[in-house]
């Protein structure tokens, strides 16, 4: 790998003291046969945070890219997620071992319960397994994904612990003000998945007008909106020029008015499932 530029990505300190780069690279829907190449390209551009999941079927390519990059393992923050269908204490523990094996790592930076699956197994028992993995030192930070406030509250009440991260769908058409406020109130960092709504917000006239004024693309403006709101993002692209574009976010700033105008685009419109109704097992 050729030397990556000095990264300007800010880090956020989590409630367990670990730090996470605020901008990463997501690999959902990246073909397993292309994942090593795409991840190596992202690392070469300067990304130091990769978001994968067992469900994506491409953990192996992520692990290979990190190893082949020439970077120290400690310099790349890697997240994976417990696949649906392993929501009990024993199954969760073996799924975590499988994730480490597939990645070829001896530890993981962040492991998340991928979905709460209200009608499948028990996410409280699953969380107890996550706490045991954390205590073993083989995962540095544990968190959840797609949890609603009432599900987080049940977790706090049953276990007395607070996840470090809640990874939820957030973009200008789904601003998630209630869930984000609940996360913040409890010291949980919000990670915004599908940050550009898989491209759906890029033609929005409010966003394209701001983009024209600041001399950036609609994707850059949207990603900058997330960063200035304090969320963690990891846009996905397999196209080198877009991977570079999505990393080039640190030489401009949106005004308070820009932020408010983008936030006002909210329509509570999801691109993915509603976590209260989603119980799918692959
Ligand atoms: P995204 O909002 O990042 O959009 C990705 C799509 O937008 C790409 O396929 C590409 O077609 C297009 N795109 C990317 N950059 C562009 C640019 N600069 N200009 C024009 N088009 C561009 O959507 P995503 O991949 O669904 O979400 C990002 C990451 O979030 C995923 O890769 C994954 O890591 C994570 N995620 C998590 C969950 C979860 O349940 N926890 C669900 C979905 C995604």
């Amino acid at each position: 790998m050729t030397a990556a530029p000095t990264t300007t990505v800010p880090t956020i300190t989590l409630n367990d003291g670990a730090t996470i780069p605020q901008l990463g690279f997501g690999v959902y829907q990246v073909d397993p046969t292309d994942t090593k190449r795409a991840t190596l390209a992202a690392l070469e551009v300067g990304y130091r945070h990769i978001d994968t999941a067992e469900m994506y079927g491409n953990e192996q390519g992520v692990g290979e890219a990190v190893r082949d990059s020439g970077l120290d393992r400690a310099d790349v923050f890697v997240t994976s997620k417990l696949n649906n269908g392993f929501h009990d204490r024993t199954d969760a523990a073996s799924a975590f071992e499988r994730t480490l094996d597939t990645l070829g790592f001896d530890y993981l930076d962040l492991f998340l319960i991928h979905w709460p699956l209200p009608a499948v197994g028990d996410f409280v028992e699953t969380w107890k397994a996550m706490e045991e993995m954390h205590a073993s030192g083989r995962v540095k930070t544990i968190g959840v994904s797609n949890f609603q406030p009432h599900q987080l509250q049940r977790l706090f009440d049953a276990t007395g612990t607070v996840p470090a991260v809640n990874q939820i769908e957030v973009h200008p058409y789904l601003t998630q003000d209630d869930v984000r406020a609940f996360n913040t109130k409890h010291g949980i960092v919000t990670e915004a998945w599908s940050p550009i709504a898989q491209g759906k917000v890029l033609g929005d006239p409010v966003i394209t007008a701001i983009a024209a004024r600041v001399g950036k693309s609609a994707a850059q403006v949207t990603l900058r909106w997330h960063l200035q709101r304090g969320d963690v993002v990891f846009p996905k692209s397999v196209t080198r020029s877009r991977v570079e574009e999505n990393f080039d976010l640190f030489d401009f700033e949106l005004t308070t008015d820009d932020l408010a105008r983008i936030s006002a685009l909210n329509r509570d419109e999801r691109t993915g499932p509603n976590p209260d109704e989603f119980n799918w097992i692959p």
Side-chain angles (χ1 to χ4, degrees), residues 165-240:
V165 158
N166 187 15
Q167 182 179 127
I168 55 174
E169 182 179 353
V170 188
H171 45 72
Y173 292 161
L174 182 71
T175 53
Q176 294 267 33
D177 298 336
D178 294 350
V179 186
R180 289 178 71 258
F182 188 89
N183 288 343
T184 303
K185 180 174 164 203
H186 293 280
I188 300 170
V189 167
T190 301
E191 294 190 333
W193 64 253
S194 292
I196 58 172
Q198 299 195 332
K200 290 184 192 75
V201 299
L202 300 183
D204 190 283
V206 169
I207 296 174
T208 54
I210 294 170
R213 195 195 79 232
V214 299
K216 287 284 184 174
S217 71
Q220 288 170 321
V221 165
T222 307
L223 294 169
R224 184 76 208 179
W225 170 80
H226 286 283
L227 296 180
Q228 288 186 222
R229 277 161 43 107
D231 291 355
V232 173
V233 279
F234 22 79
K236 170 257 174 183
S237 175
V238 293
T239 308
R240 173 75 182 224

Side-chain angles (χ1 to χ4, degrees), residues 238-274:
V238 293
T239 308
R240 173 75 182 224
S241 57
R242 288 176 171 174
V243 173
E244 289 172 358
E245 178 185 326
N246 295 344
F247 194 71
D248 180 17
L249 307 177
F250 302 102
D251 61 350
F252 76 110
E253 208 162 326
L254 300 175
T255 65
T256 309
D257 183 54
D258 292 334
L259 297 177
R261 285 168 59 218
I262 297 172
S263 300
L265 297 173
N266 181 48
R267 316 166 174 169
D268 291 334
E269 185 177 298
R270 294 182 183 277
T271 66
N274 181 334

Side-chain angles (χ1 to χ4, degrees), residues 9 28 40 57 70 74 97 112 114-115 119-120 122 136 170 189 230 236 247 250:
V9 174
Y28 174 49
L40 266 172
E97 293 305 323
L112 307 177
H114 204 148
W115 288 90
V120 180
D122 181 1
S136 79
V170 188
V189 167
K236 170 257 174 183
F247 194 71
F250 302 102

